[in-house]
Amino acid sequence: MKDTCFFGNIQVSKKVASAITEMGFEEPSPIQSQTIPLVLAGHDVIGQAQTGTGKTAAFGIPIVEKLADTRQLQALVLTPTRELAIQVSEELAKIGKFRRIKTLPIYGGQSIDRQIRALQFGVQVVIGTPGRLLDHIRRNTIKLNNVKMLVLDEADEMLDMGFIEDIESILQHVPAANRQTLLFSATMPAPIISLAEKYMVDPVTVTVSKEQLTVPLIDQFYYETRDKIEGLCRVLDAETTGKLIIFCRTKKGVSDLVSTLQARGYMVDGLHGDLSQSQRERVMKKFREGALEILIATDVAARGLDIENITHVINFDIPQDPESYVHRIGRTGRAGKKGIAVTFIEPREYRQLKIIEKAVKTRIFRRQLPSPADILDRQRETIKNRLIYILEQGAFTDYHTIVADVVSEDYEPLDVAAAALKLFQEGFRETSTAGNVSAFANTGGEPGMVRLFMNVGRQQKVRPEDIVRKIADEAGIAGNTIGAINIYDKFTFVEVPEDVAERVISVMHRNTLKGFKVNVEPAKAR
């Protein structure tokens, strides 16, 4: 190969090497290092890999390398969604930038006449959804007789969406002679295996395990709080810079969080299933170009998103299963760059977090929420500069009388100024003694402790060490923080620190201890 370079240990042309360097790729991911040489060598390949593994470049780089310098359609990529078709088209265009490769995404919801004109002008790669591609085939507006490479991307998703018959119809219109077929799928259900056996020739299988998805380049943390909005804002103010994606479980959750954060002055917008295609494209354009710092999305709306340089993924709602967690956090920490994954949980969700942690074989570390002092420390220079700017503008005389009135009541001017800044930064919150009473105030525990009632005792042969071990393991707290334990015939009282009491109740209630189902609740006052 003339004018070649190396991408890791893979030999590629200088034009492709320049393009992928410009895209921020530093070294090939596992799926890329295993797949690209096989495809360049002409093999059919089955890649079992999920979102976040770099599979688009795994087939995109060899496609660009093998394209002839002619305006004939030579490669066809099938995707389950419009969003993924657009993403793949954009990435292939970037890989082929210095070869001037023409790509075209084809999907429903866009004018078919515009697509027909683009096809007539001439493109080398089409990326499309099965339904719209079949429309073009039936209209005879797309010519597949010169297609030499066919890619089925996220095949299991296409199966789930009922596209399997459409895919077979399309495959029958692509000449089998000299065709190279690539199939990528997170899972391999029987219909996908059958499809591969029918339309692929001696395929080589490449598998990327889940363990490789949660790479060490992603630092994973969680915050436990009853007020997730307040906690999120503290983290955004004190710890995060860069591009963020925040995940919510529902469309309503996305809309509500977008409204809340916009009202607090954050540059944020959302993606969910109720948006039209043009609205989705507008939001994505703003996010890519930096007009938005934060994108909030549901799992479904974010399928197929492939955005560069995501620094943080935040799970505002804990994922419902480990696979969703892996999909979400895989959007950061790419191309050899560091990423941070943050999950917010309420005390009752601690058990679900532990299930995820165990399934993905990684440690998710607990962090304390930043305090107002931490936020102030980070914002100190910004606040000072804004204050000086206002002072230099001089347009604040309307407030002189308020300050004069407060100072006349024997408050120090410095304290008045500091209180005014606090009001500006944190807003007004009226506190009352009644509002600060803990939900566990009257359980009869020692100061800072909550006394809990458990419906097991001596009759169940329960010992103090059994209780300590169970609570420590289930709630993830140190055994030496557990206080007094009083075991009676049919029940037990145990004291735990107040800040973890709700979590202990959540993970222990209806759990089992020595084979008995346990009921746990705050004890009544002595």
Side-chain angles (χ1 to χ4, degrees), residues 209-228:
S209 66
K210 289 178 184 174
E211 288 79 5
Q212 288 173 293
L213 290 175
T214 53
V215 288
L217 290 172
I218 303 175
D219 295 328
Q220 299 169 59
F221 305 102
Y222 76 93
Y223 295 100
E224 185 177 344
T225 176
R226 292 186 192 90
D227 187 348
K228 291 200 289 186

Side-chain angles (χ1 to χ4, degrees), residues 1-8 10-26 32 36 40 56-67 69 91-101:
M1 201 188 293
K2 291 183 179 179
D3 296 327
T4 60
C5 294
F6 281 90
F7 174 44
I10 303 167
Q11 195 173 29
V12 296
S13 66
K14 277 190 176 178
K15 288 181 177 179
V16 168
S18 298
I20 58 181
T21 300
E22 192 174 280
M23 291 168 70
F25 287 105
E26 296 170 11
Q32 292 163 4
I36 294 171
L40 289 174
T56 305
F59 62 76
I61 289 171
I63 282 177
V64 171
E65 290 286 17
K66 298 181 85 166
L67 289 174
D69 291 325
E91 182 144 350
L92 294 189
K94 289 176 184 176
I95 295 169
K97 176 180 177 180
F98 298 109
R99 284 205 58 198
R100 303 195 176 188
I101 299 301

